[in-house]
Amino acid sequence: MSGLARALVQAGRLPAAQADALQKQAATDKVPFIDTLVASGQIDARDLAAFCSETFGYPLMDLQTLSIDALPPKAIDNKLMQAQRVVALAKRGNKLSVAISDPTNIQALDQIKFQSEASVEPVIVAHDVLIALLAKLMKSAEQTLNEMVGDEQDIQFAEEDTQAAPAPEANDIEDAPIVKFLNKILMDAVNMGASDIHFEPFEKFYRIRLRVDGVLREHAQPPITIRDKLVSRIKVLAKLDISEKRVPQDGRMRLILSPVKAIDFRVSTLPTLFGEKTVMRILDATQAQMGIDALGYDPDQKELLLDAIQRPYGMVLVTGPTGSGKTVSLYTCLNVINKPGINISTAEDPAEINLPGVNQVNVNDKAGLTFPVALKSFLRQDPDIIMVGEIRDLETADIAIKAAQTGHMVFSTLHTNDAPSTLTRLMNMGVAPFNIASSVIMITAQRLARRLCTCKQPADTSREVMLAAGFRDHELEGDWKPYKPVGCERCLGSGYKGRVGIYQIMPITPAIEKIILAHGNSMEIAAQSEAEGVKSLRRSGLMKVKQGLTSLEEVLGCTNE
């Protein structure tokens, strides 16, 4: 007779004959005695829990008041939880509180102690509630994912790296719910026009956010139990090491939508307190093929830019913060001049968009293929045009400038706030002023502002506010009004759909060259460029407001004056 049956008989709560009959029935059905006892209706599950608590001296708890999110993840193996009918409630130091309905199940307590290497503290709970919680824990993640996925996404990925050594958990990442859920997230991101996907683990929840039109929006909160499997699935697709979770990793994957349409994703993982955060940058090659007219340059700015990039030699620099569209602008320029008679080479970290007819090189610092090494090699490859992903140090800047001085056209990017400060940034980096003056022919600074949706409406903005923002008196003449965002189904209630570029195009004129040679500062350069008719980022943004492309608040938020 089991320990629980004996305790019930000794306490007079269950006749011996009835206990024997239930014991035999449990053996025949190959289930624990407590299952047969509760199912028979001889004793109510809550009465049985109270009896066990009083008899064996363990605390009693009502599981129905407990939130699943409050349970410690992975404190006990899922298979052990299901086999022994136990649930981990809390872990404090070396002590593990465990919900159990049959305290005489010494085998379960011993196995938990052995696996967790912790001191186990049993807590008595009602058997039927415990079974319901176990079922919920085992099935909630899969059911939740299936509900979130809906119709299965019919997509393909580029062939995975078959030579990579599988990690022990590799078998788990092919779980159908995980695969379907990730496919849905990727397709949602592509359909919404997102630029980035953030998979973020926290202590109590797991969050997925999409950056749409430059703003992060929460898209889903899947069960926290899937976080490791989801990251592992992404790592396999991006050809990363799924067994390495202690250091950041970078990779790339390709989503094949059709025989003629594929989208690349740049994947970055980062260990955080509660798991690996994963960010995926969506690289759509069609963006670089939109044409220069689609980027939002004013007619005079477009003319200046096209004149500069079609010169035989010199340096054109594009500046702005991360996510301001510098790469798309550079690729668009390369597309304009990409002809069979021109040899174009690029060094990038990494190459974000594939351009047919352009020789693209991924720098690899670990292998010794740095920006300077790639540039030196380019100069032995009979180049006409060289594109450097980013000028980060003096050595890269020196080689790029020497290339521009020796008959090559060089494109590159820098992280600065505006065009005038780029020149002082190069000086601070250690580049000699005469080298800057003799090589740089144009600097463009840019920002991306959200474009107003078709649901926009005129805004009642006072003249004083418009003047304070930077408008001039003559620009406010007429009956035009700025527009404000409203929100509709098309723009998901934000009032904005898509983005428009705001640009500062600054040619390096003889007057600006003199300021550079005299070690002038960015304020002097800015004053001279304004005198020559160069619009600042704020002025360019205000013209977009007057054209009804974006709102005044959006321009004020992404530019300084």
Side-chain angles (χ1 to χ4, degrees), residues 10 31 158 246 313 323 372:
Q10 290 175 353
V31 296
R246 300 165 298 174
Y313 57 87

Side-chain angles (χ1 to χ4, degrees), residues 158-216:
E159 188 175 346
E160 296 173 16
D161 188 359
T162 55
Q163 297 179 351
E169 65 269 30
N171 293 332
D172 294 338
I173 61 179
E174 295 301 330
D175 286 355
I178 300 292
V179 173
K180 292 177 184 177
F181 178 69
L182 179 60
N183 290 352
K184 180 181 186 301
I185 293 297
L186 297 182
M187 287 306 301
D188 285 351
V190 170
N191 293 333
M192 292 172 65
S195 61
D196 301 87
I197 312 172
H198 292 241
F199 299 85
E200 301 170 309
F202 297 97
E203 185 177 13
K204 303 288 187 181
F205 64 98
Y206 192 69
R207 179 175 68 183
I208 297 174
R209 292 191 291 174
L210 306 181
R211 188 177 292 279
V212 180
D213 296 336
V215 178
L216 278 171

Side-chain angles (χ1 to χ4, degrees), residues 20-52:
D20 285 335
L22 292 173
Q23 192 93 34
K24 289 176 183 177
Q25 182 64 41
T28 302
D29 296 340
K30 295 182 180 178
V31 296
F33 169 75
I34 192 169
D35 281 22
T36 307
L37 175 64
V38 173
S40 70
Q42 296 289 329
I43 297 181
D44 180 73
R46 285 160 184 73
D47 289 343
L48 180 60
F51 167 79
C52 290

Side-chain angles (χ1 to χ4, degrees), residues 225-297:
T225 53
I226 74 161
R227 61 184 175 188
D228 293 335
K229 289 183 180 181
L230 193 58
V231 172
S232 294
R233 172 66 180 163
I234 294 171
K235 282 183 174 181
V236 165
L237 294 172
K239 301 179 178 64
L240 300 178
D241 184 355
I242 64 176
S243 64
E244 179 56 78
K245 302 178 181 180
R246 300 165 298 174
V247 296
Q249 296 186 67
D250 293 297
R252 192 184 182 101
M253 56 186 274
R254 169 167 285 193
L255 176 65
I256 302 172
L257 299 178
S258 72
V260 295
K261 173 74 171 175
I263 293 179
D264 289 324
F265 294 81
R266 192 176 70 195
V267 180
S268 173
T269 67
L270 178 69
T272 67
L273 283 178
F274 304 106
E276 289 180 281
K277 176 180 178 178
T278 306
V279 176
M280 305 174 73
R281 167 68 56 88
I282 301 174
L283 311 171
D284 189 352
T286 58
Q287 291 181 333
Q289 298 164 357
M290 293 186 300
I292 199 164
D293 292 324
L295 296 184
Y297 290 99

Side-chain angles (χ1 to χ4, degrees), residues 472-493:
R472 293 163 185 168
D473 282 319
H474 69 275
E475 293 170 343
L476 299 179
E477 294 175 359
D479 59 355
W480 73 273
K481 281 189 176 183
Y483 284 91
K484 65 181 179 180
V486 178
C488 64
E489 289 185 6
R490 182 173 178 267
C491 61
L492 303 178

Side-chain angles (χ1 to χ4, degrees), residues 334 336-344 357 359 381-385:
L334 289 179
V336 170
I337 55 182
N338 183 14
K339 298 173 184 176
I342 295 178
N343 178 21
I344 304 175
N359 306 291
Q381 294 267 323
D382 184 30
D384 296 304
I385 295 168

Side-chain angles (χ1 to χ4, degrees), residues 247-534:
V247 296
Q249 296 186 67
D250 293 297
R252 192 184 182 101
M253 56 186 274
R254 169 167 285 193
L255 176 65
I256 302 172
L257 299 178
S258 72
V260 295
K261 173 74 171 175
I263 293 179
D264 289 324
F265 294 81
R266 192 176 70 195
V267 180
S268 173
T269 67
L270 178 69
T272 67
L273 283 178
F274 304 106
E276 289 180 281
K277 176 180 178 178
T278 306
V279 176
M280 305 174 73
R281 167 68 56 88
I282 301 174
L283 311 171
D284 189 352
T286 58
Q287 291 181 333
Q289 298 164 357
M290 293 186 300
I292 199 164
D293 292 324
L295 296 184
Y297 290 99
D298 293 338
D300 57 331
Q301 293 177 333
K302 174 186 168 185
E303 185 179 346
L304 287 171
L305 182 62
L306 288 175
D307 177 64
I309 65 175
Q310 290 173 347
R311 291 193 195 179
Y313 57 87
M315 179 182 283
V316 173
L317 295 173
V318 180
T319 76
T322 301
S324 60
K326 299 188 299 296
T327 301
V328 170
S329 294
L330 277 179
Y331 281 151
T332 303
C333 291
L334 289 179
N335 259 336
V336 170
I337 55 182
N338 183 14
K339 298 173 184 176
I342 295 178
N343 178 21
I344 304 175
S345 296
T346 73
E348 304 166 74
D349 184 21
E352 295 190 354
I353 298 173
N354 295 330
L355 287 180
V358 175
N359 306 291
Q360 296 174 272
V361 174
N362 274 333
V363 301
N364 187 338
D365 291 338
K366 291 182 180 177
L369 181 56
T370 60
F371 278 121
V373 170
L375 278 176
K376 289 175 183 176
S377 179
F378 287 168
L379 294 175
R380 295 191 290 271
Q381 294 267 323
D382 184 30
D384 296 304
I385 295 168
I386 294 172
M387 196 265 270
V388 187
E390 182 184 346
I391 293 178
R392 300 175 179 172
D393 51 49
L394 177 59
E395 186 179 7
T396 305
D398 271 339
I399 300 171
I401 282 175
K402 286 174 183 173
Q405 291 171 334
T406 54
H408 307 94
M409 173 57 70
V410 179
F411 296 148
S412 190
T413 69
L414 272 172
H415 285 88
T416 57
N417 290 327
D418 55 17
S421 62
T422 304
L423 296 169
T424 54
R425 168 87 173 108
L426 287 171
M427 291 186 217
N428 292 338
M429 204 179 277
V431 180
F434 61 86
N435 278 333
I436 298 173
S438 63
S439 59
V440 180
I441 59 174
M442 174 172 284
I443 300 173
T444 76
Q446 64 184 69
R447 298 289 188 277
L448 286 178
R450 289 183 293 171
R451 187 187 292 266
L452 283 166
C453 179
T454 52
C455 62
K456 64 186 179 182
Q457 291 182 0
D460 292 325
T461 306
S462 67
R463 185 181 182 87
E464 290 74 18
V465 170
M466 304 274 276
L467 291 171
F471 278 106
R472 293 163 185 168
D473 282 319
H474 69 275
E475 293 170 343
L476 299 179
E477 294 175 359
D479 59 355
W480 73 273
K481 281 189 176 183
Y483 284 91
K484 65 181 179 180
V486 178
C488 64
E489 289 185 6
R490 182 173 178 267
C491 61
L492 303 178
S494 67
Y496 298 95
K497 183 71 174 177
R499 288 192 284 181
V500 61
I502 297 175
Y503 303 94
Q504 180 183 26
I505 307 291
M506 188 180 82
I508 306 303
T509 61
I512 293 178
E513 285 181 12
K514 289 180 181 178
I515 297 175
I516 297 170
L517 291 171
H519 296 266
N521 58 41
S522 60
M523 289 184 290
E524 294 171 334
I525 296 171
Q528 178 61 35
S529 67
E530 186 177 353
E532 294 175 356
V534 174

